[in-house]
Every structure is written in C-alpha cells, then in structure tokens.
Amino acid sequence: MKVTEVTEIPEAPPEVQETSGAPEAPEAPEAPEAPEAPAVPEVPEPQALPRVRRRGRTTLLIATAAVLGVVAGTCVGYLIQADREPTELPSLSQPSIPQAKGKGPEPLSAAQDRRVRTDGDLRKLLVERPSGTRDITSTEGVDGWLGLDAYAEGYDEPATAYSTLIDQEFRRVAVTAWRTGSTQSVVIRLVQYRQEESLAARERVADEQYGEAEYDTDSWSVPGTGDGMAYVRKQPENKAGYLPMYTAEAHAWRGDIAMQIFVSDTRPVAKAKIMDLAERQMERL
C-alpha cells in the first residue's frame, strides 16, 4: 500500500497564532487633517432701537375730551341763562340836566390866542411902511392882497408853482411894498396855508432857502425863528436895458404863515437892512 507524504504546514507567526479567526485587515491609512477654516470676525450684537412713543391715539383722546368739555360748558351756560329772569333795559328818557347860569368864560384875546390874529385881517400883521417912503403895494397886488395866479407868476415856472401851491393848501397872501429914493424897493409877503395835512408853511420856506443856496450869497440866521435865514447876493442881476440890481432875501415861518422879504437896490444891500426887516416882521407874527 502506497503512503502519501503530507507536507508540514509551517507555523503561523506569533501574531497570527494569537488571533483567532481570519487574519486582520490591514489598517487604513490615516486621513490627512483638514485645513483650519479662516477665522470669522465677530459681528457685534445689534443694539436695540429706542422705542418710539405712539402719541396719535392719546392726542386724539385729549382733543376729543377738550371739545366735549367746551360743548358741555356752553350748553350748561345756555341752560343757566335760560333759567334767569330777563334784565330790564334802562329807560331811554334821561333826566334833564340843569343848565349852568352866569356868563361863560371870556374868549382869549389876540395876544393870548395867536389863531385869532392869523384868522383875522392878515394885512394888519405886516410891518408898517417907514415914513418918507413911497407906497408901491398896488404893483404887487390889489388892496394889499395877492391872488394865487399873481403869486404863482412870480416863479420861473408859473404853471408848476400854481399846481404845487394848490397841493400845499394855499390860502391867501397879504403884501406890502414901498420904495426908498429912486433905486431901493422892499416887498414883504405873508403867505398863509390851511395846513390840514402838512406843515406847508415850513415846506415853502425850505424850498425858498434851497433855491438861494444855488447863488453866491452871504447868509445869517434870523434870531427867534429857529430855521429862518437871511441872504445877501454878492453879484448883481444884469438885464438888458436896466441898471445892475443887487438883491437880498429873508425867509422864515411861524405856524401856518411863511414870511418872504425881498430887497433890491442898484448898490449892494447891507446885512443890517435885511436883518432889521426880518426881525421886526417876525415879532408881529
């Protein structure tokens, strides 16, 4: 009989002998570490918004209550008034007042009431004509009065002057004039305005003074008049067929009257002459 040889099986390594069952699978290689994620910046926590007080409903309630209060008060007032007895009206007939007896106060004299003088005969307020002089008042007006037309004719532009005088509430002009010798003449005018809306007398004097400023003159203030002025022109007026004529003027106002004085002569007019006339005339106003 043939015997088959059995080949020896080598012993397993110690590691395999210790383990029972199937051999262990080889260990899987370790996975590479994942890269670290970038740091995310911290976001600050949102702050709480301030609370907004809703006032619409409260305001409406207050307004409604106020209206209701006014309405209620009005109704109560009407009810109270309706319950009262009507108040009797006073009698239309008044008791007679006894009239005072005796004489009333005496009216003020012309010395006390300036309006008495200026509302009267204005010609009486003109200075008296000096003795030895010749009266030439008739060449300036009629019976001592100068009408609006004739007064306006004395200006360079009569039509404009006429319209201006009407706007300034022109009233009347009293005039006197005289001549000394054969060369010197004096004209004095008192121009009165109604002055219901403006101080026309002062405005007229201011216009005349403004006109004199255009000439080469010597000038002085008239005492006691505030803004009254006297002027003496240094150069004569030359007109063909006439002798050269020197002139002087004075303009002042008081109340509703504007004073105008004109002196002319073939020789220069002295300051004393025009100042004396101006002062004496203003004393009478």
Side-chain angles (χ1 to χ4, degrees):
M1 170 175 138
K2 187 179 182 179
V3 179
T4 305
E5 292 182 359
V6 180
T7 307
E8 288 184 4
I9 299 173
E11 293 182 1
E15 294 84 358
V16 177
Q17 292 179 3
E18 293 176 1
T19 314
S20 62
E24 291 182 359
E27 293 182 0
E30 294 182 1
E33 294 182 0
E36 295 183 1
V40 179
E42 295 183 1
V43 179
E45 294 183 2
Q47 297 181 358
L49 295 176
R51 295 183 62 187
V52 178
R53 183 178 179 183
R54 300 177 62 184
R55 296 180 297 178
R57 182 176 298 178
T58 303
T59 303
L60 180 61
L61 291 176
I62 294 174
T64 304
V67 172
L68 292 176
V70 172
V71 173
T74 304
C75 294
V76 171
Y78 275 115
L79 292 175
I80 294 175
Q81 187 66 23
D83 292 339
R84 290 178 178 175
E85 293 292 333
T87 303
E88 294 184 2
L89 295 176
S91 175
L92 296 177
S93 61
Q94 298 293 329
S96 60
I97 300 175
Q99 197 130 17
K101 297 181 180 180
K103 295 182 179 180
E106 293 292 334
L108 296 176
S109 63
Q112 296 172 313
D113 188 354
R114 182 182 168 279
R115 193 63 180 267
V116 174
R117 300 199 312 274
T118 59
D119 279 349
D121 191 344
L122 200 58
R123 297 172 299 178
K124 294 181 180 180
L125 298 181
L126 291 163
V127 295
E128 296 181 359
R129 178 172 60 87
S131 59
T133 60
R134 183 160 52 97
D135 186 7
I136 58 171
T137 303
S138 59
T139 62
E140 292 291 323
V142 178
D143 195 22
W145 296 107
L146 188 62
L148 175 59
D149 293 343
Y151 180 58
E153 286 293 332
Y155 289 90
D156 295 336
E157 299 180 3
T160 302
Y162 186 93
S163 177
T164 301
L165 289 168
I166 291 179
D167 292 340
Q168 291 180 335
E169 301 176 293
F170 171 89
R171 182 178 177 185
R172 56 182 179 171
V173 178
V175 60
T176 184
W178 63 82
R179 178 165 293 173
T180 303
S182 60
T183 60
Q184 186 184 91
S185 62
V186 176
V187 178
I188 301 177
R189 298 172 182 168
L190 299 181
V191 187
Q192 190 173 33
Y193 298 85
R194 290 183 176 84
Q195 294 202 148
E196 295 178 357
E197 297 183 1
S198 64
L199 296 176
R202 183 180 67 179
E203 294 175 2
R204 171 52 49 192
V205 169
D207 290 342
E208 299 290 349
Q209 292 175 347
Y210 179 79
E212 281 301 300
E214 299 179 358
Y215 299 93
D216 184 14
T217 63
D218 290 326
S219 59
W220 306 271
S221 297
V222 179
T225 62
D227 53 2
M229 296 292 295
Y231 304 88
V232 173
R233 296 185 185 179
K234 299 178 182 180
Q235 301 299 326
E237 294 181 4
N238 296 301
K239 187 180 294 186
Y242 294 89
L243 293 172
M245 194 66 64
Y246 290 88
T247 60
E249 299 183 11
H251 300 277
W253 67 281
R254 182 160 292 156
D256 56 356
I257 296 177
M259 178 202 72
Q260 299 176 339
I261 300 178
F262 305 93
V263 180
S264 60
D265 200 343
T266 55
R267 295 173 296 180
V269 180
K271 170 188 174 182
K273 177 69 176 180
I274 188 67
M275 291 293 288
D276 175 66
L277 288 171
E279 290 181 36
R280 287 196 293 119
Q281 180 57 73
M282 292 303 296
E283 287 175 357
R284 297 176 67 89
L285 295 179

